[in-house]
Amino acid sequence: MSAASPWVARFAPLAAPGPVLDLACGGGRHARLFAARGHAVTALDRDPAALASAGGPGITTLQCELEGEGAVWPFGPAEFSAVVVTNYLHRPLLARIAASLRPDGLLIYETFALGNERFGKPSNPAFLLAPGELLAHAARAGLRVIAFEDGAVARPKPAMLQRLCACGPDFPSQKALLDPA
Ligand SMILES: C[S@@+](CC[C@H](N)C(=O)[O-])C[C@H]1O[C@@H](n2cnc3c(N)ncnc32)[C@H](O)[C@@H]1O
């Protein structure tokens, strides 16, 4: 799959200048989208073959195992102006992902939700979000929700998805609202 998700493409222009993380990047479709917009992108995955496809101008690849014993979260707090995660869920990372966002950062998340088992894989509930789960996560992390969807989609193939775009407290549009001058 190489075309960017329409959800990610819709919100990518909101990201403030600065570094972007594409977490569990696979072949790097979103790493390329953000690099083309002038961001320095870190594209992380555990799969070297995926990373070989994800590399390119403006993209630094990072091979990293995010789960299991010995897994290390390789980023500090407030590093990224945007983090994008698609088609990947490991719940223990949600708080770390949010902490890695700068206060003006943007989180764009899209992955499968309960009900997807009717359409195919993934069907293991461990990999499927419960209703409203990403919203609750954003609230816990102190992020402001810009947009959220939770339901069935027809394209690129029938699936049950949750999609979130949320930002930190210093996100430019929030500042503009508070201080229009
Ligand atoms: C379904 S693919 C999604 C790829 C990409 N985000 C996209 O939507 O095009 C899931 C990716 O997560 C990576 N992944 C799965 N488990 C991982 C782990 N424990 N640590 C790092 N990467 C992982 C896989 O290697 C795979 O590239």
Side-chain angles (χ1 to χ4, degrees), residues 1 22-30 44-47 50 64-68 85-88 112:
M1 191 190 298
D22 183 358
L23 191 74
C25 64
R29 58 190 175 133
H30 299 129
L44 180 154
D45 206 284
R46 69 177 173 192
D47 177 358
C64 183
E65 172 55 64
L66 293 166
E67 301 172 30
V85 190
T86 56
N87 300 340
Y88 176 71
F112 299 96

Side-chain angles (χ1 to χ4, degrees), residues 152-178:
V153 300
R155 281 180 296 277
K157 60 174 187 162
M160 198 75 171
L161 295 181
Q162 261 176 58
R163 298 161 148 165
L164 174 84
C165 178
C167 64
D170 291 349
F171 185 71
S173 63
Q174 310 304 334
K175 264 198 179 146
L177 285 175
L178 291 170

Side-chain angles (χ1 to χ4, degrees), residues 3-181:
S5 147
W7 184 258
V8 178
R10 174 178 166 193
F11 292 105
L14 297 188
V20 169
L21 171 63
D22 183 358
L23 191 74
C25 64
R29 58 190 175 133
H30 299 129
R32 283 189 290 280
L33 174 76
F34 280 95
R37 298 191 57 79
H39 295 274
V41 180
T42 300
L44 180 154
D45 206 284
R46 69 177 173 192
D47 177 358
L51 290 175
S53 309
I59 300 172
T60 302
T61 58
L62 178 60
Q63 187 185 356
C64 183
E65 172 55 64
L66 293 166
E67 301 172 30
E69 254 180 61
V72 177
W73 180 249
F75 307 110
E79 281 198 29
F80 296 104
S81 59
V83 177
V84 58
V85 190
T86 56
N87 300 340
Y88 176 71
L89 177 66
H90 182 54
R91 290 180 173 85
L93 296 179
L94 290 172
R96 288 172 187 247
I97 293 168
S100 291
L101 279 179
R102 294 186 337 199
D104 64 348
L106 192 70
L107 172 63
I108 305 176
Y109 210 126
E110 174 181 84
T111 197
F112 299 96
L114 279 174
N116 194 65
E117 65 278 6
R118 281 185 281 136
F119 301 112
K121 301 238 179 219
S123 55
N124 179 343
F127 304 129
L128 301 177
L129 290 158
E133 187 173 349
L134 276 185
L135 262 189
H137 160 60
R140 263 196 312 276
L143 302 176
R144 176 178 290 255
V145 174
I146 295 171
F148 176 70
E149 287 183 2
D150 189 349
V153 300
R155 281 180 296 277
K157 60 174 187 162
M160 198 75 171
L161 295 181
Q162 261 176 58
R163 298 161 148 165
L164 174 84
C165 178
C167 64
D170 291 349
F171 185 71
S173 63
Q174 310 304 334
K175 264 198 179 146
L177 285 175
L178 291 170
D179 182 12

